[in-house]
Amino acid sequence: MDDYDREPRVHGRRRFLATTAALGLGTLAGCTGGGDDETTTTTTEDTDDGGTVEQIGSGRSPFGDRTIAGGVSITEMPDLSGELTLYSGRGKALVNELVSFLEDYYEDFTIRPRYNSAAELVNQIQTEGQNSPADVFFSVNAGSLGALKDAGRTQDLPTEVLDLVRDEFHDPDGQWTGTSGRARTVPFNTDEFSESDIPDDIMEFPKTEAFRDNIGWAPTYSSFQAFITAMRVLEGDEATKEWLQGMQDLGVTEFKDEFLVSQAVADGEITAGFANHYYIQRILAGRPNAPLKTAFTSGDAGSIFNVAGALVLDTADDSELAANFVRHLLSAEAQDYFARTTFEYPLVSGVDPIGELPSIDELNPPEGLDLTQLSDLEGTVRLLREVGVL
């Protein structure tokens, strides 16, 4: 029988942790915090077979109720059984609830997660070589996934996994798939600017005097470095160096991460910044009246749509289990979790983002940029050091 034709099932292993909330495909209930720490409530919803399925994470979005109409439910996916070592470049505070849920949902499934930065884990996998215990790598960006592909450390993902997302969101050679999306944006303070004041060309920012000593970035952050990598691909290294130097001459303020950039904009410490879209949404979730809004550039490095994603490593003990775990990251429930808890763009059709955001199809990313081109992060770090940003 095909895996997708199975009857829905209900599992009973430790049903369920107090920190795991109900998982369902109907209207959701609960709330999340505004930063990296999410609060969780427990709710349940009856299923047709008289049992209860579970909704991952906090329930009702602070932006309102939602109904999930698309995607493939976990209940229709192959069972997970055995042990799996997960190297996660995604932060524990953001995804451990999802990881724990999947482990608890299946009676005979154990996940051994190791959390670190994506760059550090790529280096670790390379250093460990064929002795690496890692089965699956879960990354915050396509660049890290591409680096492992380029190093020949990946396995083909099954077609039934790749087909869950659009072609542009997975590797054309089938080595990795995106699991959620992140759009580059410009958070701005609405007490200081209107949306029309924000340039729609990223290369114009160093020339905009209104931002002098009043704009922020987080150059050590992987998403920022992926953005600069895209600029190198699209504009060339020399133009990118000029842009970086121009921003420094403008008096850009450095922050540790892009949540802090967005928070500083909301607090009026600076008037604008560079950040992934979800940081603005997290702040607005806790402070809906904050003078903070999201602007987008168009067709350039400042408007790239990057993905968090996953791949199966060549050291995986059970390739089928590893691939099916990746498939579960694309389940309707997991996609809804990314929307509500991390405020990212779901990549599966029918699961919508949360907040005042355009749809994926309404964004204007640069034409001709393949996410696999963002793998040269080492070259970007060298360039950032060369101009004194790092």
Side-chain angles (χ1 to χ4, degrees):
M1 182 187 303
D2 187 89
D3 289 324
Y4 293 112
D5 292 332
R6 295 180 180 182
E7 288 295 319
R9 59 189 175 271
V10 178
H11 293 268
R13 183 185 178 193
R14 287 178 281 166
R15 275 185 73 74
F16 271 68
L17 296 179
T19 57
T20 303
L23 179 155
L25 300 182
T27 302
L28 312 176
C31 64
T32 62
D36 283 346
D37 296 324
E38 282 79 27
T39 57
T40 308
T41 59
T42 302
T43 59
T44 60
E45 184 171 327
D46 291 337
T47 61
D48 291 339
D49 62 1
T52 303
V53 293
E54 308 256 329
Q55 174 195 330
I56 307 170
S58 53
R60 175 174 296 134
S61 162
F63 297 103
D65 293 350
R66 59 193 264 112
T67 297
I68 307 304
V72 178
S73 172
I74 286 173
T75 63
E76 300 174 50
M77 290 189 170
D79 285 349
L80 301 178
S81 178
E83 294 187 0
L84 181 137
T85 298
L86 174 68
Y87 278 22
S88 179
R90 304 224 53 189
K92 182 176 182 180
L94 293 180
V95 302
N96 189 61
E97 189 175 15
L98 171 61
V99 170
S100 296
F101 175 87
L102 292 175
E103 183 177 36
D104 286 301
Y105 187 69
Y106 291 102
E107 194 75 32
D108 299 314
F109 182 49
T110 299
I111 304 174
R112 304 188 187 284
R114 298 187 183 183
Y115 294 99
N116 205 336
S117 72
E120 289 292 335
L121 288 174
V122 169
N123 290 335
Q124 183 175 343
I125 290 166
Q126 294 289 66
T127 300
E128 292 170 341
Q130 291 305 303
N131 293 319
S132 177
D135 298 306
V136 172
F137 175 58
F138 191 14
S139 174
V140 295
N141 59 61
S144 297
L145 299 166
L148 287 173
K149 175 196 172 183
D150 292 346
R153 297 303 310 275
T154 60
Q155 297 188 37
D156 292 347
L157 285 170
T159 300
E160 58 265 27
V161 176
L162 298 172
D163 285 349
L164 290 170
V165 302
R166 288 166 20 180
D167 287 349
E168 63 264 39
F169 300 142
H170 65 70
D171 174 53
D173 298 320
Q175 301 299 292
W176 57 260
T177 182
T179 53
S180 55
R182 52 266 310 279
R184 290 303 294 177
T185 66
V186 180
F188 67 93
N189 188 291
T190 57
D191 289 340
E192 301 292 334
F193 295 123
S194 64
E195 191 166 353
S196 62
D197 296 324
I198 308 300
D200 63 3
D201 180 351
I202 196 66
M203 304 307 287
E204 291 297 312
F205 277 76
K207 308 170 190 175
T208 306
E209 281 296 315
F211 296 138
R212 179 163 297 280
D213 300 321
N214 254 322
I215 194 167
W217 66 14
T220 63
Y221 221 46
S222 62
S223 293
F224 180 88
Q225 292 176 9
F227 149 57
I228 296 300
T229 303
M231 187 179 292
R232 291 175 54 220
V233 171
L234 294 168
E235 307 289 346
D237 280 7
E238 286 304 313
T240 303
K241 285 195 284 188
E242 289 181 12
W243 187 89
L244 291 165
Q245 187 59 61
M247 291 304 304
Q248 291 179 97
D249 293 343
L250 194 65
V252 65
T253 301
E254 180 176 335
F255 292 84
K256 181 180 178 181
D257 61 49
E258 292 183 350
F259 178 79
L260 294 177
V261 171
S262 303
Q263 185 169 259
V265 173
D267 291 342
E269 297 174 14
I270 53 177
T271 56
F274 304 108
N276 279 347
H277 78 276
Y278 44 80
Y279 293 109
I280 297 96
Q281 299 306 312
R282 290 180 196 170
I283 289 170
L284 291 174
R287 300 167 55 190
N289 295 320
L292 179 64
K293 197 169 181 180
T294 309
F296 297 83
T297 63
S298 178
D300 55 34
S303 61
I304 62 169
F305 186 86
N306 207 336
V307 295
L311 55 76
V312 176
L313 289 153
D314 61 344
T315 51
D317 285 337
D318 185 336
S319 298
E320 183 178 4
L321 172 63
N324 281 331
F325 174 81
V326 174
R327 187 190 303 201
H328 277 65
L329 298 178
L330 293 170
S331 66
E333 293 87 350
Q335 292 292 291
D336 177 60
Y337 174 88
F338 292 133
R340 289 180 296 101
T341 304
T342 66
F343 293 96
E344 293 170 286
Y345 276 90
L347 296 185
V348 170
S349 177
V351 186
D352 297 323
I354 280 178
E356 295 183 4
L357 293 170
S359 69
I360 290 177
D361 290 332
E362 292 172 316
L363 297 172
N364 294 293
E367 293 183 7
L369 179 69
D370 189 325
L371 292 177
T372 60
Q373 296 176 280
L374 303 182
S375 61
D376 184 23
L377 296 176
E378 289 185 6
T380 294
V381 169
R382 285 196 300 271
L383 188 146
L384 290 169
R385 287 173 176 162
E386 183 179 337
V387 298
V389 173
L390 296 180

